[in-house]
């Protein structure tokens, strides 16, 4: 009997079905093929050897598949992270880049432990929409140079690839259409001998496995001061892009993810990547969309396989991968761009129903992101715009009602709303200092004092009435408002 009970309560490993496993493996292969040219191009942006970006993409994907908090999300070397370290590599070399990545990873782990990622709930939906639309535009713009280089033949191949990608699912859905398009176009180009740009033109593929090592830099305070500013920026940009991507995948898959674990996982991945000679990275939204939206992957298996297949392809099958036409990968990325863009958000009916402030926030996010080619800057601009518009709305929600006593000796005011830095001036201007009688009572029972600016406004009101010889009585402050008023009253004026 004990053995039977033990058999019932023993944990069971849930293995994926054959169908799920097939989807995950094929999705990982498609992502790996799409990762190769991007990892090479990001390495060139950062000013390092292509293998630095390729090794980073391998170690990031494999590590985050285990340590991350969002299944099916792809992390690798990215353009945003590459842009951050251009100056560091140019002035101090690649070894300092590795140290900066390791330190950035440790910072991200710390932020994850402190649960800083929970602040993501303050990112408005309009910023998310702008973020997604800007991402789609950037993905398409990144393909323009390849389109130009390919010429007429390249355009024809891209059109053929898109035809396969959109047409094949109508006939068969068991094999990812992007993978079929890549294979077919490669076979046609090689067999016919069409001269178009291929993956090999992007840079030399590595022929050896990444090796574990310690960066060759002096471990001194001076080194720390050199890399710390870059590490802080890398940690912030990487976390912001990763957490925004995780939230996007949450929406697509209708599931939730552990953002604190994701932050720690990104940190662990960047730390390990630095010791294996790779550049720092974060979540790749385009590749994640290929994995989740295009290929239908939902588990960590696809992420792990993407990294594993990447290493096998570039190290073991480098000559074969090198002949893949860029036109095939461009067709896949155009699909990702079109499927990522939220077309509903720009429909006339949607724009008419949407408050102008929401449209403004979305527009600022898109414009700032596309103009700077930096998703982090775009999101920051969108959030700041949302904060400003929200503060403006709340500031105008302050209402002041005045009632005069029948005998004309007392004026009663009732204040309703949230009192803070954006509404303080409106509150000060709401009273008739010169026209009020000798006694004034202000009731704040339907208001709340939030900050020092509101307390300073109350002090200013008292001062104005004192100048006119009016006796002022303030009533109705709730406990927290009264405590803040008692603590700061008189101090703000003294500060000026």
């Amino acid at each position: 009997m004990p053995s039977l009970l033990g058999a019932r309560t023993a944990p069971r490993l849930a293995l994926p079905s054959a169908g799920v496993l097939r989807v995950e493996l094929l999705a990982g292969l498609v992502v790996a093929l799409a990762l190769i040219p991007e990892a090479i191009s990001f390495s060139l942006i950062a000013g390092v050897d292509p293998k630095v970006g390729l090794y980073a993409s391998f170690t990031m994907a494999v590590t985050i598949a285990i340590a991350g908090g969002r299944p099916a999300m792809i992390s690798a070397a990215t353009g945003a992270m590459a842009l951050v370290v251009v100056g560091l590599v140019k002035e101090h070399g690649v070894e300092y880049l590795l140290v900066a990545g390791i330190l950035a990873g440790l910072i991200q782990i710390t932020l994850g432990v402190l649960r800083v990622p929970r602040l993501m709930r303050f990112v408005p939906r309009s910023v998310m929409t702008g973020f997604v639309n800007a991402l789609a535009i950037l993905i398409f713009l990144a393909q323009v140079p390849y389109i130009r280089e390919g010429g007429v033949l390249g355009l024809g191949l891209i059109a053929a690839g898109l035809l396969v990608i959109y047409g094949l699912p109508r006939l068969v859905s068991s094999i990812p259409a992007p993978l079929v398009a890549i294979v077919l176009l490669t076979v046609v180009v090689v067999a016919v001998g069409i001269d178009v740009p291929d993956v090999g033109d992007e840079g030399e593929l590595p022929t050896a496995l990444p090796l574990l090592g310690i960066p060759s830099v002096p471990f001194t305070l001076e080194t720390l001061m050199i890399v710390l500013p870059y590490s802080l920026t890398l940690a912030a940009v990487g976390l912001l892009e990763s957490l925004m991507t995780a939230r996007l995948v949450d929406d697509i898959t209708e599931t939730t993810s552990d953002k604190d674990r994701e932050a720690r996982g990104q940190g662990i991945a960047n730390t390990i990547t630095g010791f294996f000679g790779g550049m720092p990275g974060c979540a790749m939204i385009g590749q994640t969309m290929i994995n989740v939206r295009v290929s239908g992957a939902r588990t960590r298996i696809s992420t792990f396989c993407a990294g594993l297949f990447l290493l096998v392809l570039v190290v073991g099958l480098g000559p074969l991968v090198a002949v893949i036409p860029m036109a095939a990968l461009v067709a896949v990325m155009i699909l990702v761009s079109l499927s990522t863009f939220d077309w509903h958000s720009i429909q006339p009916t949607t724009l008419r129903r949407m408050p102008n402030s929401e449209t403004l926030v979305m527009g600022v996010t898109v414009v700032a992101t596309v103009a700077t080619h930096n998703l982090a800057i775009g999101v920051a601009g969108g959030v700041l715009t949302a904060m400003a518009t929200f503060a403006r709305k709340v500031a105008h929600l302050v209402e002041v009602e005045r009632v005069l006593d029948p005998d004309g000796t007392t004026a009663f005011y009732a204040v309703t709303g949230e009192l803070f830095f954006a509404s303080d001036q409106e509150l000060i201007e709401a009273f008739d200092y010169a026209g009020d009688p000798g006694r004034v009572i202000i009731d704040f029972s339907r208001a709340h004092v939030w900050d020092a600016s509101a307390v300073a406004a109350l002090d200013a009101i008292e001062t104005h009435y004192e100048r006119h010889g009016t006796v002022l009585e303030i009533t109705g402050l709730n406990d927290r408002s009264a405590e803040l008023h008692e603590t700061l009253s008189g101090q703000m004026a003294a500060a000026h």
Side-chain angles (χ1 to χ4, degrees):
M1 183 65 69
S3 62
L4 291 176
L5 290 175
R8 288 180 180 177
T9 58
R12 300 175 63 182
L13 181 62
L15 296 175
S17 65
V20 170
L21 188 59
R22 176 184 54 79
V23 170
E24 301 295 319
L25 291 174
L26 292 176
L29 179 57
V30 174
V31 170
L33 289 170
L35 272 175
I36 295 172
E38 293 206 357
I40 294 174
S41 63
F42 297 150
S43 299
L44 298 178
I45 290 173
V48 297
D49 190 279
K51 68 180 181 181
V52 178
L54 290 167
Y55 287 163
S57 297
F58 158 66
T59 55
M60 285 289 298
V62 169
T63 305
I64 206 67
I66 300 170
R70 174 65 259 178
M73 191 167 76
I74 305 297
S75 292
T78 63
M81 302 290 266
L83 288 171
V84 171
V85 299
V86 171
L88 177 63
V89 174
K90 186 175 181 179
E91 295 179 16
H92 301 282
V94 67
E95 297 296 325
Y96 280 81
L97 165 64
L98 303 182
V99 175
I102 293 170
L103 181 57
L106 296 175
I107 294 172
Q108 289 175 328
I109 294 172
T110 303
L111 294 175
V113 171
L114 297 177
R115 298 188 173 184
V116 172
R118 297 194 175 197
L119 296 176
M120 277 297 295
R121 66 179 182 271
F122 293 109
V123 177
R125 171 61 58 177
S126 51
V127 174
M128 273 295 299
T129 304
F131 168 79
V132 170
N133 291 346
L135 162 67
I137 295 172
L138 288 179
I139 291 175
F140 182 82
L141 291 178
Q143 312 313 309
V144 173
Y146 299 116
I147 296 174
R148 290 174 177 171
E149 290 176 10
V152 177
L153 289 176
L155 282 173
L157 290 173
I158 292 171
L162 290 172
L163 184 62
V164 172
I165 289 172
Y166 282 103
L168 184 63
R170 300 177 181 273
L171 303 175
V172 59
S173 59
S174 58
I175 303 175
L179 180 59
V180 175
I182 293 171
V183 173
L184 284 179
L185 291 184
T186 302
V187 171
V188 170
V189 167
V190 174
V192 180
I194 302 175
D195 185 17
V196 291
D198 54 32
V199 172
D201 295 331
E202 296 300 301
E204 184 180 356
L205 300 178
T207 57
L209 297 174
L211 299 176
L212 180 64
I214 298 176
S216 300
V217 299
F219 291 94
T220 62
L221 183 60
E222 180 182 1
T223 299
L224 178 63
M225 291 298 100
I226 291 173
V227 302
L228 183 59
Y230 292 98
S231 297
L232 290 171
T233 305
L234 287 168
V237 171
L239 273 190
L240 182 57
E241 291 208 22
S242 299
L243 295 176
M244 291 289 285
T245 305
R247 183 169 166 180
L248 178 60
V249 177
D250 288 349
D251 290 343
I252 294 173
T253 61
E254 298 182 345
T255 58
T256 59
S257 59
D258 187 340
K259 304 302 186 297
D260 296 328
R261 178 179 173 181
E262 183 60 39
R264 297 192 299 271
Q266 291 290 330
I268 294 170
N270 273 315
T271 302
I272 292 175
T273 296
F275 284 115
F276 276 97
M279 61 189 290
C282 62
M284 294 190 74
I285 309 170
Q287 309 303 330
T288 299
M289 290 300 99
I290 293 177
N291 197 46
V292 175
R293 176 165 281 172
V294 176
S295 301
R298 292 293 183 270
T299 74
R300 301 175 187 273
I301 297 175
S302 58
T303 306
F304 184 87
C305 289
L308 185 61
F309 288 153
L310 172 65
L311 188 65
V312 172
L313 288 170
V314 298
V315 175
L317 302 174
L320 181 60
V321 172
V323 300
I324 296 175
M326 287 302 302
L329 300 177
V330 168
V332 174
M333 297 312 294
I334 290 177
L335 164 68
V336 173
S337 173
L338 295 176
S339 61
T340 299
F341 196 92
D342 186 354
W343 298 100
H344 176 73
S345 67
I346 61 171
Q347 289 181 356
T349 53
T350 302
L351 294 176
R352 283 196 297 268
R353 291 196 304 265
M354 193 69 64
N356 291 334
S357 59
E358 299 290 320
T359 304
L360 174 64
V361 170
M362 181 181 70
V364 168
T365 305
V366 171
V367 172
T369 301
V370 174
T372 62
H373 282 236
N374 191 319
L375 291 166
I377 292 177
V379 171
V383 170
L384 290 175
T385 304
M387 291 172 60
T389 56
F390 175 75
R392 185 173 180 272
K393 288 179 182 178
V394 175
H396 291 292
L397 293 179
V398 175
E399 296 182 2
V400 179
E401 297 179 1
R402 179 179 183 269
V403 176
L404 189 64
D405 188 276
D407 58 12
T409 59
T410 305
F412 297 91
Y413 286 91
V415 180
T416 302
E418 308 303 319
L419 310 180
F420 64 114
F421 65 87
S423 59
D424 58 346
Q425 193 61 35
E426 184 178 358
L427 178 66
I428 294 172
E429 296 171 354
F431 298 92
D432 185 7
Y433 303 106
D436 280 337
R439 183 167 181 257
V440 172
I441 299 175
I442 305 178
D443 179 18
F444 287 93
S445 59
R446 290 181 292 176
H448 187 92
V449 178
W450 285 104
D451 60 8
S453 296
V455 174
L458 297 186
D459 288 348
I461 293 170
E462 292 181 11
T463 300
H464 285 312
Y465 275 121
E466 285 177 2
R467 289 174 183 169
H468 291 85
T470 302
V471 177
L472 175 65
E473 180 181 350
I474 294 178
T475 64
L477 288 173
N478 58 44
D479 292 341
R480 296 188 65 178
S481 298
E483 181 181 356
L484 185 63
H485 182 254
E486 183 179 352
T487 302
L488 298 180
S489 182
Q491 301 300 316
M492 307 309 297
H496 295 287

